[in-house]
Amino acid sequence: MRRNVCRWIAFTFVLVPVIAAGAIAQPAPKAFLAPPPTEFEDAATKRARLQNEMLNALKGIADKGSSGTITNPMVPPKKGDYYPPTDPNKSIDEVREGMNLFRDNNFEAARRIFFGADPARLAPADRLFAKYMLACSLRRLGKVAEAEVIYREVANTAATGLDDEFLTSCAIWQLSLIRSGQELDAQLEQLRSRAKSK
Protein backbone atom coordinates (compact mmCIF):
# COMPACT_ATOMS: atom_id res chain seq x y z
CA MET A 1 0.00 0.00 0.00
CA ARG A 2 2.80 2.37 0.94
CA ARG A 3 4.54 1.54 -2.30
CA ASN A 4 1.49 2.53 -4.34
CA VAL A 5 1.21 5.78 -2.44
CA CYS A 6 4.90 6.47 -2.96
CA ARG A 7 4.53 5.84 -6.66
CA TRP A 8 1.61 8.25 -6.90
CA ILE A 9 3.52 10.90 -5.00
CA ALA A 10 6.56 10.44 -7.24
CA PHE A 11 4.31 10.60 -10.29
CA THR A 12 2.71 13.81 -9.06
CA PHE A 13 5.98 15.57 -8.23
CA VAL A 14 8.08 14.37 -11.19
CA LEU A 15 5.93 13.64 -14.20
CA VAL A 16 3.12 16.16 -13.86
CA PRO A 17 5.46 19.21 -14.00
CA VAL A 18 7.22 17.71 -17.03
CA ILE A 19 3.93 17.18 -18.86
CA ALA A 20 2.75 20.67 -17.92
CA ALA A 21 5.99 22.23 -19.16
CA GLY A 22 5.61 20.41 -22.48
CA ALA A 23 2.06 21.64 -22.84
CA ILE A 24 3.08 25.22 -22.14
CA ALA A 25 5.98 25.04 -24.61
CA GLN A 26 3.67 24.21 -27.52
CA PRO A 27 2.52 27.25 -29.45
CA ALA A 28 -1.12 28.10 -29.42
CA PRO A 29 -3.00 27.08 -32.54
CA LYS A 30 -3.24 29.83 -35.10
CA ALA A 31 -6.61 31.34 -35.64
CA PHE A 32 -7.85 31.26 -39.20
CA LEU A 33 -7.74 34.71 -40.59
CA ALA A 34 -10.62 35.90 -42.69
CA PRO A 35 -9.67 36.78 -46.25
CA PRO A 36 -9.23 40.48 -46.81
CA PRO A 37 -12.39 42.14 -47.93
CA THR A 38 -12.62 42.52 -51.67
CA GLU A 39 -14.40 45.11 -53.64
CA PHE A 40 -17.50 43.83 -55.28
CA GLU A 41 -17.86 44.75 -58.93
CA ASP A 42 -21.02 44.35 -60.87
CA ALA A 43 -20.81 42.21 -64.02
CA ALA A 44 -20.84 45.14 -66.45
CA THR A 45 -17.95 46.94 -64.71
CA LYS A 46 -15.88 43.75 -64.54
CA ARG A 47 -16.52 42.98 -68.21
CA ALA A 48 -15.51 46.51 -69.25
CA ARG A 49 -12.31 46.33 -67.16
CA LEU A 50 -11.33 42.94 -68.65
CA GLN A 51 -12.04 44.14 -72.21
CA ASN A 52 -9.85 47.17 -71.61
CA GLU A 53 -6.99 44.97 -70.31
CA MET A 54 -7.31 42.67 -73.31
CA LEU A 55 -7.25 45.57 -75.78
CA ASN A 56 -4.13 46.98 -74.12
CA ALA A 57 -2.43 43.58 -74.32
CA LEU A 58 -3.33 43.25 -78.02
CA LYS A 59 -1.98 46.76 -78.71
CA GLY A 60 1.28 45.81 -76.99
CA ILE A 61 1.59 42.71 -79.18
CA ALA A 62 0.82 44.70 -82.32
CA ASP A 63 3.40 47.33 -81.36
CA LYS A 64 6.07 44.65 -80.87
CA GLY A 65 5.24 43.12 -84.25
CA SER A 66 5.47 46.43 -86.08
CA SER A 67 8.76 47.38 -84.43
CA GLY A 68 10.33 44.15 -85.66
CA THR A 69 11.29 42.79 -82.25
CA ILE A 70 9.58 39.45 -82.87
CA THR A 71 12.27 37.36 -84.47
CA ASN A 72 10.58 33.95 -84.41
CA PRO A 73 7.10 34.12 -85.90
CA MET A 74 5.04 30.97 -85.53
CA VAL A 75 5.19 28.70 -88.55
CA PRO A 76 1.83 27.10 -89.40
CA PRO A 77 1.82 23.31 -89.24
CA LYS A 78 2.03 21.36 -92.45
CA LYS A 79 -1.33 20.08 -93.63
CA GLY A 80 -2.02 16.65 -95.03
CA ASP A 81 0.46 13.84 -95.12
CA TYR A 82 3.30 15.84 -96.62
CA TYR A 83 6.56 14.02 -96.68
CA PRO A 84 9.64 15.78 -98.07
CA PRO A 85 11.22 14.18 -101.13
CA THR A 86 14.36 12.25 -100.45
CA ASP A 87 17.73 13.41 -101.67
CA PRO A 88 18.69 11.25 -104.69
CA ASN A 89 22.38 11.49 -103.76
CA LYS A 90 21.79 10.16 -100.26
CA SER A 91 21.75 6.41 -99.66
CA ILE A 92 18.86 5.46 -97.40
CA ASP A 93 17.33 2.26 -96.16
CA GLU A 94 13.92 2.41 -97.83
CA VAL A 95 12.44 -0.38 -95.75
CA ARG A 96 13.42 1.30 -92.48
CA GLU A 97 12.17 4.65 -93.72
CA GLY A 98 8.84 3.12 -94.72
CA MET A 99 8.53 1.40 -91.35
CA ASN A 100 9.17 4.67 -89.52
CA LEU A 101 6.46 6.37 -91.55
CA PHE A 102 4.06 3.49 -90.95
CA ARG A 103 4.69 3.65 -87.18
CA ASP A 104 4.03 7.40 -87.29
CA ASN A 105 0.62 6.66 -88.89
CA ASN A 106 1.72 8.39 -92.09
CA PHE A 107 0.31 5.60 -94.24
CA GLU A 108 0.23 7.46 -97.56
CA ALA A 109 3.93 8.32 -97.35
CA ALA A 110 4.72 4.74 -96.26
CA ARG A 111 2.73 3.42 -99.23
CA ARG A 112 4.73 5.63 -101.60
CA ILE A 113 8.04 4.44 -100.11
CA PHE A 114 7.13 0.74 -100.25
CA PHE A 115 5.60 1.08 -103.72
CA GLY A 116 8.66 2.90 -105.06
CA ALA A 117 11.19 0.52 -103.51
CA ASP A 118 13.16 -1.13 -106.31
CA PRO A 119 13.29 -4.89 -105.60
CA ALA A 120 16.69 -5.10 -107.33
CA ARG A 121 18.21 -2.75 -104.74
CA LEU A 122 16.61 -4.50 -101.76
CA ALA A 123 18.10 -7.44 -99.93
CA PRO A 124 16.32 -10.71 -100.77
CA ALA A 125 14.85 -10.91 -97.26
CA ASP A 126 13.45 -7.37 -97.55
CA ARG A 127 11.67 -7.78 -100.89
CA LEU A 128 8.79 -9.81 -99.55
CA PHE A 129 8.60 -7.68 -96.41
CA ALA A 130 8.32 -4.48 -98.49
CA LYS A 131 5.48 -6.05 -100.46
CA TYR A 132 3.73 -7.09 -97.25
CA MET A 133 4.10 -3.61 -95.76
CA LEU A 134 2.75 -2.08 -98.98
CA ALA A 135 -0.38 -4.19 -98.49
CA CYS A 136 -0.61 -3.12 -94.83
CA SER A 137 -0.33 0.54 -95.82
CA LEU A 138 -3.06 0.14 -98.43
CA ARG A 139 -5.31 -1.59 -95.92
CA ARG A 140 -4.85 1.19 -93.37
CA LEU A 141 -5.71 3.72 -96.11
CA GLY A 142 -9.00 1.89 -96.70
CA LYS A 143 -7.95 0.39 -100.06
CA VAL A 144 -8.86 -3.12 -98.98
CA ALA A 145 -9.32 -4.62 -102.46
CA GLU A 146 -5.80 -3.56 -103.54
CA ALA A 147 -4.35 -4.78 -100.25
CA GLU A 148 -6.08 -8.14 -100.61
CA VAL A 149 -4.40 -8.76 -103.98
CA ILE A 150 -0.94 -8.10 -102.54
CA TYR A 151 -1.63 -10.18 -99.42
CA ARG A 152 -2.53 -13.09 -101.72
CA GLU A 153 0.77 -12.66 -103.59
CA VAL A 154 2.69 -12.79 -100.31
CA ALA A 155 0.66 -15.76 -99.06
CA ASN A 156 1.34 -17.68 -102.31
CA THR A 157 5.12 -17.23 -102.19
CA ALA A 158 5.48 -20.66 -100.62
CA ALA A 159 4.82 -22.15 -104.06
CA THR A 160 7.55 -20.03 -105.68
CA GLY A 161 10.26 -20.99 -103.20
CA LEU A 162 10.70 -17.40 -101.98
CA ASP A 163 8.70 -18.07 -98.86
CA ASP A 164 9.19 -16.51 -95.49
CA GLU A 165 7.07 -18.63 -93.19
CA PHE A 166 6.31 -15.79 -90.78
CA LEU A 167 5.29 -13.30 -93.50
CA THR A 168 3.26 -15.96 -95.29
CA SER A 169 1.31 -16.74 -92.12
CA CYS A 170 0.85 -13.00 -91.43
CA ALA A 171 -0.55 -12.47 -94.93
CA ILE A 172 -2.93 -15.42 -94.51
CA TRP A 173 -4.05 -13.99 -91.17
CA GLN A 174 -4.64 -10.56 -92.76
CA LEU A 175 -6.69 -12.17 -95.52
CA SER A 176 -8.82 -13.98 -92.94
CA LEU A 177 -9.37 -10.69 -91.08
CA ILE A 178 -10.46 -9.00 -94.31
CA ARG A 179 -12.79 -11.89 -95.13
CA SER A 180 -14.36 -11.91 -91.65
CA GLY A 181 -14.79 -8.12 -91.84
CA GLN A 182 -16.57 -8.47 -95.18
CA GLU A 183 -18.83 -11.20 -93.75
CA LEU A 184 -19.70 -9.01 -90.76
CA ASP A 185 -20.49 -6.09 -93.08
CA ALA A 186 -22.78 -8.34 -95.13
CA GLN A 187 -24.59 -9.56 -92.01
CA LEU A 188 -25.00 -5.97 -90.77
CA GLU A 189 -26.43 -4.97 -94.13
CA GLN A 190 -28.94 -7.82 -93.93
CA LEU A 191 -29.98 -6.76 -90.44
CA ARG A 192 -30.41 -3.16 -91.59
CA SER A 193 -32.54 -4.18 -94.58
CA ARG A 194 -34.72 -6.35 -92.30
CA ALA A 195 -35.16 -3.47 -89.87
CA LYS A 196 -36.16 -1.11 -92.69
CA SER A 197 -38.70 -3.59 -94.09
CA LYS A 198 -40.51 -3.92 -90.74
Side-chain angles (χ1 to χ4, degrees):
M1 181 84 173
R2 284 184 179 178
R3 285 184 182 174
N4 286 340
V5 172
C6 289
R7 284 183 186 163
W8 279 107
I9 292 172
F11 176 75
T12 315
F13 286 117
V14 175
L15 292 179
V16 170
V18 171
I19 293 172
I24 292 171
Q26 289 183 355
K30 294 181 180 178
F32 290 107
L33 300 175
T38 57
E39 296 180 12
F40 292 102
E41 295 181 296
D42 63 337
T45 308
K46 189 173 185 179
R47 186 178 310 120
R49 181 178 54 80
L50 291 174
Q51 285 177 345
N52 192 19
E53 289 176 9
M54 187 174 65
L55 287 173
N56 289 336
L58 289 173
K59 283 181 185 176
I61 292 172
D63 291 343
K64 283 184 182 178
S66 64
S67 66
T69 57
I70 296 178
T71 55
N72 261 341
M74 287 184 56
V75 177
K78 296 174 184 168
K79 295 183 180 178
D81 55 0
Y82 171 77
Y83 187 71
T86 57
D87 183 7
N89 299 327
K90 183 180 176 185
S91 174
I92 59 167
D93 184 357
E94 293 172 315
V95 174
R96 181 173 290 173
E97 183 182 15
M99 281 303 299
N100 289 338
L101 292 167
F102 189 85
R103 284 188 193 120
D104 290 340
N105 295 331
N106 196 344
F107 303 117
E108 179 57 33
R111 182 202 64 81
R112 286 195 305 258
I113 293 292
F114 288 122
F115 183 76
D118 184 13
R121 291 188 319 188
L122 294 177
D126 289 340
R127 291 177 192 153
L128 194 61
F129 181 72
K131 189 178 277 195
Y132 174 79
M133 288 308 299
L134 172 62
C136 291
S137 301
L138 287 167
R139 183 169 182 240
R140 294 298 294 266
L141 288 168
K143 301 176 180 180
V144 179
E146 295 175 43
E148 194 173 359
V149 171
I150 299 173
Y151 281 135
R152 281 202 176 93
E153 290 176 13
V154 174
N156 292 331
T157 54
T160 62
L162 300 172
D163 66 331
D164 179 344
E165 190 175 328
F166 177 71
L167 284 177
T168 303
S169 61
C170 286
I172 292 169
W173 180 70
Q174 292 283 356
L175 286 168
S176 67
L177 284 177
I178 291 171
R179 194 173 310 117
S180 62
Q182 290 169 343
E183 290 170 1
L184 283 173
D185 288 341
Q187 290 174 0
L188 283 172
E189 191 58 40
Q190 288 176 355
L191 290 172
R192 286 186 190 122
S193 62
R194 286 180 192 170
K196 286 180 184 177
S197 64
K198 287 184 180 180

